[in-house]
Amino acid sequence: MPEPLLEVRGLCRTFGDVRAVDDVTFTLPDGGSLGIVGESGSGKTTTARIVVGLDRADAGHVRVRGQDRTTQPRGRAERLARARQIQMVFQDPYLSLDPRTSVEAVLRETLELHRPGTDPAPRIRELLDQVGLGTRAADALPRELSGGQRQRVAIARALAVEPAVLVLDEAVAALDVSVQAQILNLLADIRDATGVGYLFITHDLGVVRCVTDDVIVMRRGRIVESGRTADVLALPNHAYTRLLMDSVPRPGWDPHAIGAARRALRNDDTPA
Amino acid sequence: MNTTEQHPADTPRPAPGGRPNTPAALDIRNLRMRLPHTARPVLDGVDLTVGAGETVALVGESGSGKTLTSRTVLRLLPAGTTTEGTVHVAGDDVLTMNARQLRHLRTRTAAMIFQDPRAAINPLRRIGDFLTESVRLNKIMTPAAAQARAGELLEAVGLTTEVPRRYPGQLSGGMLQRVMIAAALMGDPTLLLADEPTTALDVTTQAEVVALLGDLRARFGTGLLFVTHDLGLAAAISDRVYVMYAGRIAETGPAASVFARPRHPYTKALLDSTPGLDAPPGRLVAIDGQPPDLRREPTGCPFAPRCAHATELCTTETPRSMPARGEPAHTAACHHSDRLEGTPGDA
């Protein structure tokens, strides 16, 4: 059996008494797109940070094409090699870019770090083109760009080293809907063109439905439901998944029933 | 929470204008606002009403002017702003008030709930102090009466009586937003302005806060202006909706008819670009381009450069708000409203 692109097995992380991530296991196939859905405190962001390498796990493994990345990297070369496996796009494009660095310089810095000795200029043009930014944007500073344009820059920066996996942590949550739609379409096009795999962290089930093949639903550090996105959203098994779906506001929505369902679910919980 | 309340779908909603013989909670007429160093007005002829006890949603994207509109109601304006038009709250014009009347407006007649409760509460003061501060300082109530009222409102928003002794850091975001709502109701306002009050909350918490606002509106008869970027939420909670684009009201009408039969291409495009649970799968219909910026004065319809239906007329002549046939309350500022098919958006 071929190694999956990304394999996460038995991941655990505790902060004090809180089990932020509790025995989380999933795999992402080549070129796949997996959504992790949950509310604040569900452990979805901590999971993402461990996968990327911004946090460490107490137990469990993260493997990319069979290579373990849970242990401390030995030296600079290995650290850079791991960075080339997985890249991350953050929620807030206003905070994730250095205000003093132009778009071109952001991309050049990344490329010179990972591909020393190669002329970065052609790749920079290619990346800007790929994310739909004109060469005119190359000289711009982040403050001269809109939120959507900044998020395109952040995506270009993440794609620069041709990662196997892109982790997107609420990457469209801060954008206006019309811009959000542009970015979601862009992400779909990039996946088709490059075969990069997505790990899509979001609280928004509409977004999950739009850009993922598979989904896992997390609550209090644990996976409560997982499966093909279309199946899970069509026939949710777990009460919490149903609650999340019912909570999406739409005409005829009944917020009182949701409040009651939420309290019922909380009362069902065995004491933590 | 009051369990004897009918849920909102069963409750008859007041018609536009609200109860007879009561002045509208909010009545904005032809509001124009300019900021220094901008070529176009940030608000350009805004007309908006909230009847007594009515819930009205104001929907728009960043920069559309929705937050500025709601802040104008409390005259919280950026420096150097010039305004034309009138803004009446419970019959009094906010733009001509003196300092004393303005204080009365902000402490009694109208109240605002902001997006981020943590940014609006002093973290070093106890919840009880925060709740009673305004009515105590303005000598609206005695300290004892203020405390009693605070206790009553905390119960109404579903919090326990030990909350006043807590500090903001000891409460969750959803609980703090309930505290904000209780604080806003302390002066028994005619009008509640809620600017993205649930955006920072989890979806299940959002539902509880929305249910609570609905109950309180029914119980205290407060008019509610709900400012949001979320069309689904606006459709779910409001009697009437206003959709703003580039400082103008693009479309307004009863929530159900605006969402089922949008008459402005911008409203339709927004509905189509929202990734919903019921929307057709596959690629989203994105709106190309960017909203117009404030440095250029647009001629004609501000949405024309991004609009699939735009003709030469749209780039030369500014469309006026026109009612739909047979539906006088549903108006749209578009030359080509009749060309939009009645495709359901997100019903």
Side-chain angles (χ1 to χ4, degrees), chain B residues 115-145:
Chain B
Q115 175 171 346
D116 184 357
R118 273 193 215 284
I121 292 186
N122 183 343
L124 300 177
R125 303 278 304 277
R126 290 179 198 270
I127 299 295
D129 284 353
F130 168 75
L131 282 170
T132 55
E133 183 181 32
S134 160
V135 287
R136 278 187 291 116
L137 290 181
N138 292 290
K139 302 207 166 36
I140 293 165
M141 289 179 201
T142 63

Side-chain angles (χ1 to χ4, degrees), chain B residues 258-295:
Chain B
V258 169
F259 291 104
R261 295 176 301 281
R263 291 184 54 78
H264 197 288
Y266 176 63
T267 314
K268 177 150 173 31
L270 272 186
L271 288 167
D272 290 343
S273 62
T274 306
L277 288 176
D278 312 315
R283 283 181 80 80
L284 295 164
V285 188
I287 310 178
D288 285 336
Q290 306 275 332
D293 69 29
L294 290 165
R295 285 167 295 192

Side-chain angles (χ1 to χ4, degrees), chain A:
Chain A
M1 208 176 106
E3 299 280 5
L5 178 60
L6 172 68
E7 184 185 21
V8 171
R9 193 153 294 280
L11 214 58
C12 291
R13 178 78 169 108
T14 52
F15 298 105
D17 300 335
V18 182
R19 311 191 80 161
V21 178
D22 191 357
D23 194 19
V24 165
T25 295
F26 59 84
T27 56
L28 175 68
D30 253 305
S33 177
L34 174 74
I36 304 185
V37 191
E39 297 189 289
S40 27
S42 63
K44 61 188 194 300
T45 292
T46 306
T47 303
R49 291 176 61 87
I50 294 170
V51 168
V52 176
L54 293 172
D55 199 349
R56 57 169 186 83
D58 297 330
H61 290 282
V62 178
R63 294 194 182 92
V64 173
R65 295 214 169 94
Q67 265 183 299
D68 190 83
R69 43 186 287 135
T70 331
T71 52
Q72 281 284 333
R74 281 186 300 269
R76 177 188 150 94
E78 191 179 336
R79 208 175 65 240
L80 287 176
R82 282 194 193 175
R84 281 192 293 274
Q85 291 176 333
I86 301 184
Q87 284 282 311
M88 189 165 188
V89 178
F90 296 88
Q91 171 169 1
D92 190 341
Y94 291 85
L95 294 176
S96 63
L97 297 173
D98 184 336
R100 294 161 303 181
T101 310
S102 74
V103 171
E104 194 260 351
V106 168
L107 299 177
R108 182 154 37 80
E109 190 183 335
T110 309
L111 289 167
E112 282 174 352
L113 181 68
H114 285 279
R115 296 176 170 182
T118 352
D119 177 17
R123 178 71 179 141
I124 290 174
R125 275 197 301 277
E126 189 185 23
L127 284 165
L128 288 175
D129 187 50
Q130 195 167 25
V131 299
L133 286 172
T135 38
R136 213 152 38 105
D139 299 326
L141 290 171
R143 66 158 182 274
E144 297 162 307
L145 302 175
S146 68
Q149 288 173 318
R150 286 179 208 216
Q151 204 58 312
R152 287 172 195 265
V153 175
I155 292 168
R157 177 178 59 183
L159 289 173
V161 295
E162 297 175 69
V165 179
L166 208 54
V167 176
L168 301 126
D169 187 5
E170 298 281 10
V172 296
L175 306 173
D176 276 321
V177 274
S178 69
V179 180
Q180 175 179 294
Q182 293 172 9
I183 300 292
L184 290 174
N185 285 343
L186 172 70
L187 288 170
D189 293 343
I190 289 173
R191 181 156 77 106
D192 286 347
T194 65
V196 64
Y198 289 156
L199 190 59
F200 218 102
I201 318 296
T202 180
H203 70 284
D204 188 329
L205 289 170
V207 169
V208 162
R209 183 168 174 269
C210 181
V211 293
T212 67
D213 307 328
D214 299 284
V215 66
I216 61 180
V217 181
M218 285 185 71
R219 178 165 185 257
R220 299 187 178 175
R222 301 192 71 97
I223 296 177
V224 296
E225 182 155 6
S226 61
R228 304 289 296 170
T229 305
D231 299 340
V232 170
L233 294 182
L235 272 175
N237 271 319
H238 196 278
Y240 181 67
T241 314
R242 281 196 294 277
L243 174 64
L244 280 181
M245 290 182 67
D246 291 342
S247 298
V248 178
R250 58 191 146 229
W253 186 60
D254 183 357
H256 286 84
I258 297 157
R262 185 173 183 228
R263 283 187 294 278
L265 192 64
R266 204 184 295 151
N267 295 339
D268 282 351
D269 286 333
T270 43

Side-chain angles (χ1 to χ4, degrees), chain B residues 219-233:
Chain B
R219 186 160 153 196
F220 298 104
T222 314
L224 177 63
L225 180 67
F226 199 105
V227 178
T228 180
H229 69 283
D230 186 334
L231 285 156
L233 183 59

